[in-house]
Amino acid sequence: MPYENILVEERERVGLIRLNRPQALNALSDELVDELILVLERFDADERIQCMVLIGNEKAFAAGADIPMMAKFSYMDVYKGNFLTRNWDKLRLIRKPIIAAVAGYALGGGCELAMACDVVIAADDAKFGQPEIKLGIIPGAGGTQRLPRAVSKSKAMDLCLTGRMMDAEEAERAGLVSRVVPANQLLEEAMATAQKIASFSQPVLMMIKESINTAYETTLSEGIHFERRLFHTTFATEDQKEGMRAFLDKRPPSFIDR
Ligand code: CAA
């Protein structure tokens, strides 16, 4: 299926999605987000795909929600149209891991999109920020909620209240990104990470994503209980038998995603 705002390819068991509105620094128009959700849902349902990589271009991962589009909106447009909720919230339902590979600007909705992914790998020239305050709005796609969980209350306040950008080094120090790589190696590193994840058992990697995400939604004791039950569940899989048998046989495992 042809898309107008994204480029999609499959590399072995990894779905690669490139945001592709370079003329607007990959600003997240409704059309772009609709296409993104559609393809993520398609990959999520595809047995052959284990993991997705989301990348922009050298200048921008995404410079935020589309400002010309929003400039025309009235309160009734955003309320009745359920702006952001209608499509963005579906991201949370994707069960396979998504790696955000961020070069250049990840601002506003772009930073929020990266934070909604599961692993964030940053190029050394990446810049993160929540500049919505400069437009007379607040972050609307999870910025005020995910940022303090990812960094700290003080840094989240600093970023959202001043609208300043932080560079990749600061973002790594703050815990927003899992690692920083040279800009010219970003895609290679993200794909290598995705291929590594893709080499493991599909139900097990989905359970890990679900269990880690549960940490954000529940108390520690409930979370530990949830993890324990999923851990028990892995013993019902053929891949647990294979993984442990392979270790004992001193050979690489051959998982069958069952
Ligand atoms: N929406 C639509 N178009 C955008 C855009 C956005 N968020 N950000 C940049 N563009 C467009 C510019 O209008 C410009 O288009 P033209 O060439 O047609 O004029 C093109 O992309 C290149 O941008 P600049 O010329 O501004 O490039 P620059 O290198 O001088 O500056 C920048 C780069 C600092 C990222 C600057 O473009 C900028 O500040 N962008 C806005 C960032 C922003 O405020 N993001 C938050 C949006 S609100 C939001 O995201 C709400 C939410 O929570 C979901």
Side-chain angles (χ1 to χ4, degrees):
M1 173 182 171
Y3 298 99
E4 287 181 7
N5 301 281
I6 56 175
L7 300 170
V8 179
E9 59 180 287
E10 291 174 25
R11 293 193 186 175
E12 295 171 37
R13 303 197 72 190
V14 177
L16 172 61
I17 306 166
R18 294 172 197 266
L19 305 180
N20 189 35
R21 286 189 76 208
Q23 72 286 4
L25 300 183
N26 290 332
L28 302 164
S29 62
D30 259 354
E31 293 76 18
L32 186 154
V33 178
D34 285 346
E35 288 184 4
L36 176 61
I37 297 298
L38 207 67
V39 77
L40 285 171
E41 286 178 338
R42 200 190 87 202
F43 281 143
D44 212 32
D46 186 337
E47 272 286 314
R48 294 166 305 140
I49 298 293
Q50 297 278 80
C51 183
M52 287 76 93
V53 171
L54 185 56
I55 195 165
N57 56 42
E58 284 171 10
K59 184 143 192 223
F61 176 70
D66 190 83
I67 299 171
M69 170 185 78
M70 290 187 294
K72 296 191 203 102
F73 285 163
S74 68
Y75 170 70
M76 277 305 153
D77 290 330
V78 291
Y79 181 72
K80 284 189 176 174
N82 219 4
F83 181 46
L84 302 180
T85 306
R86 181 185 65 75
N87 45 15
W88 278 74
D89 284 5
K90 293 184 183 154
L91 260 174
R92 297 177 59 202
L93 303 178
I94 303 297
R95 299 175 72 200
K96 292 174 187 167
I98 310 171
I99 298 176
V102 178
Y105 298 111
L107 301 177
C111 185
E112 291 166 307
L113 179 59
M115 288 193 289
C117 294
D118 303 302
V119 178
V120 185
I121 300 179
D124 51 15
D125 66 356
K127 292 182 191 65
F128 299 85
Q130 298 290 159
E132 287 86 347
I133 195 166
K134 295 185 193 169
L135 299 169
I137 56 173
I138 74 165
T144 64
Q145 303 305 302
R146 288 202 175 96
L147 198 56
R149 284 166 166 84
V151 294
S152 64
K153 175 185 163 184
S154 175
K155 200 174 277 290
M157 289 282 189
D158 174 3
L159 289 163
C160 293
L161 289 172
T162 67
R164 77 170 176 90
M165 296 183 209
M166 71 176 164
D167 64 17
E169 196 193 317
E170 184 181 357
E172 187 185 29
R173 231 182 309 122
L176 182 67
V177 310
S178 77
R179 59 182 113 139
V180 179
V181 301
N184 62 4
Q185 288 164 29
L186 178 65
L187 179 60
E188 196 185 325
E189 290 282 338
M191 287 306 293
T193 306
Q195 298 293 2
K196 181 75 191 170
I197 293 169
S199 71
F200 298 117
S201 165
Q202 188 175 113
V204 173
L205 59 89
M206 288 165 73
M207 284 184 208
I208 288 173
K209 171 167 172 166
E210 190 174 1
S211 195
I212 290 179
N213 279 336
T214 298
Y216 292 95
E217 307 286 348
T218 189
T219 61
L220 180 62
S221 60
E222 284 167 351
I224 295 276
H225 181 69
F226 182 75
E227 178 199 78
R228 191 64 36 81
R229 291 305 181 215
L230 279 186
F231 170 73
H232 291 162
T233 303
T234 60
F235 286 78
T237 66
E238 292 181 38
D239 285 341
Q240 174 268 333
K241 304 284 172 274
E242 168 60 11
M244 294 194 179
R245 209 182 303 120
F247 178 83
L248 296 175
D249 294 349
K250 300 188 187 302
R251 62 173 172 82
S254 180
F255 294 123
I256 58 165
D257 301 331
R258 292 274 174 277

